[in-house]
Every structure is written in C-alpha cells, then in structure tokens.
Amino acid sequence: LATIRQLGIRSVVNLRYFGRHKNQKIFASHPDIALINRPLLTWRVQPRDIARVLRTIEQQQQQGAVLVHCYHGEDRTGLTIGLYRILYQNWNTADAEAEMRRYGYNRIWRNIPRFYKPKKLTAVRRALEELRRSDDSSVAHTASTTSGESAR
C-alpha cells in the first residue's frame, strides 16, 4: 500500500471474478483508497462489461490516479488498458493491441483481440455513451428533485 500511496493512486479497479475478498480485507482499513470491484469473466467479456469498467475509471480519475488490475495483469487488464488508450488517449488500434500482446496477453483468450476490431470497438463506444447518458440523466433527475421540482 505504501507504493500505491507514493504513486498518488486514489482508486483501485479490480477486474478479478474470483478471489476478490482478500483485496476487500486489505483495503477495508484504508478508506483513502477506493476499491471498486468490476469483475470480468475473461471468456465471456462483453462490450457493455468493458464500457462499465472504462466508465468507472473515467469517474474515479476525478479523485486521482487509478490502478487497474486482475490476477496476472495481462489479459483483462491488458484489454481494458488497450481500449482506454484507444478511446481516451487516441492511440491507434494496432499500437494498443501490440502493447497488450507485449505485456503478456495469453492467446488462449481468443475473444480478447476481437475487441480491437471495428465491430466490437464500436459496440464498446456505444455502450460507454449509453452509460454517460444514463449518468447524466440521473444527475439531472437528482438536481431537479433536490431543487424542489417534481420529477415526472
């Protein structure tokens, strides 16, 4: 945890599907670092799942640096960071996918590289836009109901 604090990390997004409880115990006594569980099943990951993780990162960055991790930090994390680079940092898809592969992507997960193809990438973009619209409408609804207006 000392390194996490030194790096200014304020949030940890955990992509593990299994074995998440150990992290909850570690971070329970450190309320200054938010632990957010966004489990991904590697073999069944869907565009809306990745969009949800990316939206979480986007929101948590308002508090400071965000660390993303899974079990090995190669497949789910590699995919998430690769798509983050494309959608938020304007990397081209070939460079983002190459970085994922360079850091240990395991070819057993044949579904993961498909996210770098236009069809899946477009689906992630759309799901992310939907989440943003949903968040915006929730904020607008909350603002109107707290200012004394009725929400209909």
Side-chain angles (χ1 to χ4, degrees):
L1 287 173
T3 302
I4 288 174
R5 283 201 175 92
Q6 282 178 335
L7 294 171
I9 293 168
R10 305 291 297 157
S11 303
V12 176
V13 178
N14 181 12
L15 305 177
R16 289 181 185 176
Y17 193 83
F18 302 104
R20 290 175 277 153
H21 301 295
K22 191 183 295 185
N23 288 341
Q24 291 170 332
K25 289 177 186 174
I26 293 169
F27 286 95
S29 60
H30 300 280
D32 57 321
I33 301 170
L35 173 65
I36 299 110
N37 288 306
R38 292 290 179 258
L40 296 177
L41 278 171
T42 311
W43 57 90
R44 286 194 205 155
V45 66
Q46 297 295 315
R48 69 182 175 278
D49 301 328
I50 293 293
R52 185 172 173 237
V53 172
L54 293 170
R55 183 64 176 145
T56 298
I57 294 168
E58 182 181 325
Q59 292 171 318
Q60 291 305 120
Q61 283 179 321
Q62 296 172 15
Q63 311 305 315
V66 177
L67 172 72
V68 177
H69 85 96
C70 55
Y71 192 75
H72 292 110
E74 299 167 348
D75 304 307
R76 291 167 287 188
T77 299
L79 173 61
T80 300
I81 299 307
L83 295 185
Y84 181 90
R85 292 203 184 280
I86 294 166
L87 298 172
Y88 293 87
Q89 298 177 333
N90 299 311
W91 279 37
N92 69 56
T93 55
D95 289 344
E97 184 176 358
E99 181 183 59
M100 178 190 72
R101 291 179 185 277
R102 193 170 47 252
Y103 284 104
Y105 157 73
N106 188 331
R107 293 182 323 203
I108 193 170
W109 308 115
R110 291 181 298 221
N111 60 317
I112 287 180
R114 294 180 192 137
F115 279 88
Y116 293 93
K117 304 292 182 212
K119 184 178 178 180
K120 286 274 191 178
L121 199 49
T122 297
V124 172
R125 272 193 180 100
R126 285 186 183 141
L128 187 54
E129 289 166 6
E130 273 182 38
L131 288 170
R132 287 178 182 140
R133 279 194 302 273
S134 175
D135 290 347
D136 290 346
S137 67
S138 294
V139 169
H141 174 75
T142 301
S144 69
T145 57
T146 57
S147 66
E149 299 174 21
S150 64
R152 295 183 185 153

